[in-house]
Amino acid sequence: MRHVMSVLVQNKPGVLSRVTGLVSRRGFNIDSLSVAPTEDPTKSRITAVVEAEDVAYEQITKQLNKLVCVHKITDLTEDEAIERELVLFRVAVEPERRSEVIEIANVFRAKIVDVGHKSLTIEATGTQSKLAGLEELLKPYNLAEITRTGVTAITRSAK
Amino acid sequence: MTGAQAVIASLQAAGVEYVFGYPGGQAVKLFDALFESDITFILSRHEQAAVHEADGYARVTGKPGVVLVTSGPGATNTVTGIATAYMDSVPLVVITAQVPTTVIGTDSFQEADIFGVTLPVVKHSYLLREARELPETFAEAFHVASTGRPGPVLIDVPSDVAGQELEFTWPETVNIPSYKPTVKGNAKQVRKAAALIGEARKPLVIAGGGVVSANASEALAALVDTMQIPVVCTLMGKTALPSAHPLNLGHVGMHGSKYANEAIAQCDLLICVGTHLSDRVTGRIAHFAERARVIHIDIDPAEIGKVLPADVPIVGDVAGVLADIVEALSAQKAQPQSKDWLAELAEWKERWPFYSTAVEEGRTGIIPEDVVMELSRQLAGTRSIVTTEVGQHQMWAAQFMERETPRSFITSGGLGTMGFGFPAALGASLANPDDQVVCIAGDGSLQMNIQEMATALEAGANVKVLLMNNSALGMVHQWQTLFNNKRFMATEFSANPDFVALAAAYGWQAARVEDPSSVAAAIETMLAAEGCYLLDVVIPRDANVYPMVPPGGATADAVGAIDLAVGAVRLGLERHEVRQVGEVNEEGEGGL
Ligand SMILES: Cc1ncc(C[n+]2csc(CCOP(=O)(O)OP(=O)(O)O)c2C)c(N)n1
């Protein structure tokens, strides 16, 4: 099962390798990873997407919780969380078909952030499934390069 | 003061008596600062041994052992020692010198990323960047090493940081918001545990190293005495309860007694206390404690449910939790109901003894079990500490050494590090100079850190080495006997040194014994000697440790147990000796 794991850690050198090293050492692959400081500059948040059965996932979180540098772990896989990723697509589309690409981008509320002679670059944010949809539609226009930030997530506000 | 002086001031503030280690270029400032201090520095002959010495000190005192080494090779030599302490949850503070911050990352001379290398085997670690971080870092390190589930902490000190000036103030308290081990067991879970214990007809405690490290022996005795619960001990939990305690069934697991393993198979309630349920204990997990409900008590939440699902998990300090359970039991007015169970166990003990002279008849040469039992008899009633190396001798020691007090049996359980026992004995002896300290060693293991004979003499330590010399890597030899058709690949030594002459060259007293009838007197002479003494006991190469649960097998598959109901024979050996390589590790379990 896919888990979005949000790990609040000390903002100190070495912390990222401690966390990711532990996850891989216990035999799990990290599908995506994003890290940055939080509103409190002494803390960072690591958002990792891992594939693991529930029992194994529980074991990883218990092991991570033991790390002195880990404040808190939240599972943001559930519906109560908002998940986003940012993707940059470089589309090497010939000038005559550019407008089609721009139209697709608009439908997905994506932005054209760079235009060159031979390609244009689209910035899109959204859930992984929305972005996968966009990627599918851009494929016929010669997708030259894709780069993703990895998923980040936050709990929904209480209603 | 300088960073280097602050390191030593921190050690003094933390109450450190001994530092074990080895100097070098990047560490000269640190060593210079030691010159004025009243800390005793023990100069080992290898950094790995220095860590084991600190580890032995820590295991017998419960206080963090401290190591100081230089950068690069000095630091990398500590890795096995740190991993050994990590696996057995031993508090250590390991200080490694590092190249100056200005050249870190440039492959400068004697630079090794020890912070990175040790990440998987430390509880926590620090790379100092500025001297002003130093007092807080050291205070944190000692706190982290010795609280919660103890473990080794590494501090990497670049030599320019050691030279920087700082205002030194030792923090009164340590506060790490992200590190707050749960100490008090959940009250509801405690009541649930008490209810299960109150109902159980066939309760059993499995006591692990956590009982020893949490100083929970009295609390454990209080529980088992009131409720008449028998106890089996893992290798690390050997001193959780005195060997002679009537409820103590002793060693369990791969080389445990048949009655102890059978008790796990038959119990209706298994109370796991401070144990991570190693595969060496459980055998094939699917068949472990199949009939039992499970209560698991540990300071480390990650150990609970890791290999065995627990009906009642309790996270907390085991001493406190056990005391809470006793209180809950008395509130419930629970009465022991284990009378029939204890009677059954007593029968099993008679029927399947660990050892019987009748079975040993016809064996030639010195019988290793007899040696251990003789040592055990001679140490009885004295203040003593026994350490072991790793191999057959370790298992015989686990089976037959009787111990009275906690922390008096020191062995590398989790990592199984050959070369641990002798330096650990040295550390233990410095911590408790009035105790008789004996290392039971194998000739393979002893040679992994034999150079520490010089350290021992120099430190004025009083260490005895009882060498069970089979001119072989006996435990591996045994596996080859049982599982590889006696194809003895790389397990027989043909050029061992003359250990008596070698010991003498190091300035030790030493003797050799080859005749079974001289063993008792030889041990007596060893124990009576002032100062360091090695006794080279020549034992046969083909002696095996029994019973044995084949790696990957269930405990019920054990071979070599004595069954007096059948006659004075060891069970299942014929069947077993024909097993071939490859059958053993089907499940990827096992390994030496
Ligand atoms: C450092 C290390 N290397 C290898 C092993 C694998 N191993 C386990 S027991 C053993 C043999 C130990 O021989 P010895 O110390 O002579 O003890 P004996 O079994 O003969 O009593 C070996 C090689 C180990 N445990 N540790």
Side-chain angles (χ1 to χ4, degrees):
Chain A
M1 193 192 153
R2 176 178 173 275
H3 291 270
V4 179
M5 178 168 73
S6 175
V7 190
L8 189 64
V9 295
Q10 294 176 338
N11 182 8
K12 283 194 178 164
V15 169
L16 180 62
S17 53
R18 226 183 262 285
V19 168
T20 55
L22 193 150
V23 174
S24 58
R25 202 155 58 242
R26 300 259 164 194
F28 298 97
N29 193 28
I30 297 178
D31 289 333
S32 92
L33 184 71
S34 77
V35 196
T38 63
E39 70 285 356
D40 172 353
T42 66
K43 293 176 186 165
S44 287
R45 184 175 302 280
I46 300 176
T47 311
V49 178
V50 294
E51 193 65 43
E53 295 307 312
D54 288 349
V55 177
Y57 179 74
E58 188 188 329
Q59 181 59 211
I60 308 181
T61 54
K62 279 176 165 179
Q63 293 292 348
L64 284 173
N65 258 318
K66 269 169 42 172
L67 294 179
V68 172
C69 58
V70 170
H71 284 280
K72 192 168 172 233
I73 301 175
T74 328
D75 188 353
L76 294 182
T77 317
E78 309 303 320
D79 300 341
E80 296 84 66
I82 299 170
E83 232 186 273
R84 289 293 180 271
E85 183 168 22
L86 184 149
V87 184
L88 297 173
F89 298 97
R90 186 189 313 280
V91 193
V93 58
E94 54 273 36
E96 0 1 308
R97 298 183 70 196
R98 270 191 187 171
S99 58
E100 294 171 37
V101 170
I102 292 168
E103 210 164 294
I104 293 171
N106 284 340
V107 172
F108 280 82
R109 277 186 260 159
K111 279 188 274 181
I112 312 297
V113 289
D114 183 36
V115 183
H117 288 301
K118 294 190 172 136
S119 66
L120 51 81
T121 303
I122 300 171
E123 173 197 311
T125 58
T127 60
Q128 285 196 316
S129 67
K130 168 184 159 182
L131 295 169
L134 176 56
E135 184 181 337
E136 220 27 64
L137 289 176
L138 290 175
K139 264 186 191 158
Y141 299 94
N142 198 5
L143 253 183
E145 200 179 336
I146 302 179
T147 163
R148 313 171 166 269
T149 56
V151 168
T152 189
I154 195 166
T155 50
R156 285 187 190 276
S157 321
K159 291 276 146 62
Chain B
M1 64 171 74
T2 64
Q5 288 164 334
V7 168
I8 306 309
S10 299
L11 298 183
Q12 279 174 317
V16 172
E17 313 165 79
Y18 287 101
V19 173
F20 302 84
Y22 213 91
Q26 299 297 352
V28 285
K29 290 191 199 102
L30 294 168
F31 278 83
D32 188 61
L34 260 177
F35 196 84
E36 265 118 55
S37 85
D38 49 17
I39 293 173
T40 307
F41 183 77
I42 303 297
L43 176 62
S44 70
R45 295 300 188 270
H46 190 297
E47 289 89 349
Q48 180 195 343
V51 184
H52 294 327
E53 281 151 15
D55 182 327
Y57 172 91
R59 289 187 204 223
V60 301
T61 58
K63 293 191 278 187
V66 180
V67 177
L68 174 61
V69 298
T70 192
S71 69
T76 54
N77 266 349
T78 64
V79 173
T80 302
I82 295 173
T84 304
Y86 181 72
M87 291 294 274
D88 288 344
S89 310
V90 177
L92 294 183
V93 174
V94 178
I95 305 158
T96 51
Q98 183 53 281
V99 300
T101 50
T102 46
V103 297
I104 285 182
T106 64
D107 303 316
S108 56
F109 180 63
Q110 293 196 332
E111 176 181 0
D113 173 15
I114 196 64
F115 182 92
V117 168
T118 55
L119 268 183
V121 293
V122 292
K123 182 170 175 187
H124 196 49
S125 48
Y126 300 88
L127 167 57
L128 280 176
R129 314 231 160 207
E130 285 174 274
R132 61 186 173 82
E133 305 167 352
L134 204 148
E136 199 185 325
T137 302
F138 272 75
E140 275 190 26
F142 278 92
H143 175 72
V144 169
S146 53
T147 52
R149 179 177 182 171
V153 175
L154 179 130
I155 308 174
D156 206 15
V157 186
S159 60
D160 56 336
V161 173
Q164 282 166 15
E165 288 288 328
L166 76 151
E167 290 273 345
F168 181 83
T169 34
W170 184 245
E172 292 293 311
T173 54
V174 174
N175 178 23
I176 312 171
S178 54
Y179 174 76
K180 304 273 179 220
T182 307
V183 174
K184 179 96 182 127
N186 178 292
K188 205 170 123 214
Q189 296 296 87
V190 165
R191 281 196 301 276
K192 271 200 209 163
L196 284 188
I197 295 171
E199 284 167 19
R201 303 268 154 167
K202 297 183 171 189
L204 183 72
V205 165
I206 176 165
V211 176
V212 180
S213 71
N215 301 317
S217 294
E218 277 178 31
L220 178 66
L223 171 67
V224 300
D225 287 342
T226 15
M227 292 306 290
Q228 288 296 295
I229 307 171
V231 179
V232 296
C233 299
T234 70
L235 181 62
M236 296 305 297
K238 183 167 168 70
T239 59
L241 208 61
S243 306
H245 191 289
L247 291 164
N248 191 349
L249 298 174
H251 192 58
V252 75
M254 181 175 268
H255 294 290
S257 65
K258 186 165 170 66
Y259 49 85
N261 281 329
E262 193 61 19
I264 291 188
Q266 300 296 339
C267 66
D268 64 3
L269 176 68
L270 186 65
I271 309 162
C272 310
V273 191
T275 167
H276 76 294
L277 298 173
S278 151
D279 50 285
R280 277 294 186 273
V281 166
T282 63
R284 188 180 302 224
I285 191 72
H287 297 297
F288 181 75
E290 276 177 294
R291 295 179 169 79
R293 294 214 263 180
V294 174
I295 299 171
H296 199 154
I297 309 167
D298 206 291
I299 188 86
D300 180 357
E303 290 306 349
I304 300 178
K306 188 175 79 179
V307 295
L308 187 70
D311 297 285
V312 182
I314 310 181
V315 178
D317 169 61
V318 296
V321 172
L322 289 169
D324 291 348
I325 292 177
V326 170
E327 213 179 287
L329 282 163
S330 94
Q332 290 171 14
K333 304 208 163 43
Q335 292 297 324
Q337 311 194 48
S338 58
K339 203 160 159 244
D340 296 346
W341 172 231
L342 292 176
E344 195 175 5
L345 290 168
E347 274 172 37
W348 294 352
K349 246 178 134 165
E350 293 270 310
R351 176 176 170 184
W352 299 313
F354 235 152
Y355 184 83
S356 156
T357 39
V359 177
E360 312 311 329
E361 244 168 51
R363 268 169 84 173
T364 52
I366 294 176
I367 296 176
E369 292 94 320
D370 287 346
V371 178
V372 174
M373 282 187 270
E374 182 57 36
L375 176 67
S376 185
R377 267 191 295 276
Q378 293 197 23
L379 289 179
T382 68
R383 285 183 50 105
S384 64
I385 294 165
V386 172
T387 77
T388 81
E389 291 287 353
V390 170
Q392 292 182 310
H393 62 277
Q394 176 190 34
M395 291 299 114
W396 285 314
Q399 293 177 328
F400 299 110
M401 267 317 298
E402 303 245 316
R403 302 279 66 209
E404 282 141 36
T405 51
R407 302 185 182 276
S408 66
F409 185 80
I410 306 298
T411 193
S412 166
L415 199 65
T417 308
M418 293 171 66
F420 166 81
F422 173 43
L426 172 45
S429 159
L430 292 173
N432 290 22
D434 298 330
D435 285 20
Q436 181 75 266
V437 179
V438 184
C439 169
I440 301 181
D443 48 309
S445 299
L446 184 64
Q447 291 184 80
M448 285 216 174
N449 270 320
I450 198 162
Q451 76 288 343
E452 296 308 301
M453 287 193 150
T455 312
L457 210 72
E458 214 164 73
N462 179 5
V463 180
K464 314 294 193 236
V465 174
L466 182 82
L467 176 62
M468 308 275 273
N469 185 355
N470 53 10
S471 297
L473 298 173
M475 187 54 97
V476 187
H477 198 262
Q478 167 164 350
W479 285 43
Q480 291 170 338
T481 303
L482 296 177
F483 313 122
N484 292 15
N485 268 334
K486 303 197 177 178
R487 284 151 58 92
F488 296 124
M489 179 65 203
T491 51
E492 298 187 341
F493 291 128
S494 56
N496 256 348
D498 174 341
F499 286 101
V500 173
L502 184 61
Y506 274 111
W508 279 47
Q509 307 162 72
R512 175 172 302 118
V513 56
E514 289 171 272
D515 172 12
S517 64
S518 313
V519 168
I523 291 177
E524 217 175 296
T525 309
M526 170 181 83
L527 295 180
E530 293 273 338
C532 295
Y533 191 105
L534 176 136
L535 180 61
D536 180 9
V537 184
V538 179
I539 59 168
R541 212 176 239 174
D542 58 4
N544 291 331
V545 182
Y546 291 126
M548 176 177 194
V549 177
T555 47
D557 300 334
V559 295
I562 297 168
D563 187 351
L564 293 181
V566 176
V569 291
R570 291 193 178 273
L571 297 169
L573 287 182
E574 300 339 299
R575 174 167 63 83
H576 215 75
E577 271 165 0
V578 298
R579 278 186 79 161
Q580 294 289 316
V581 193
E583 281 180 49
V584 180
N585 284 335
E586 293 150 352
E587 301 199 338
E589 290 177 29
L592 230 50

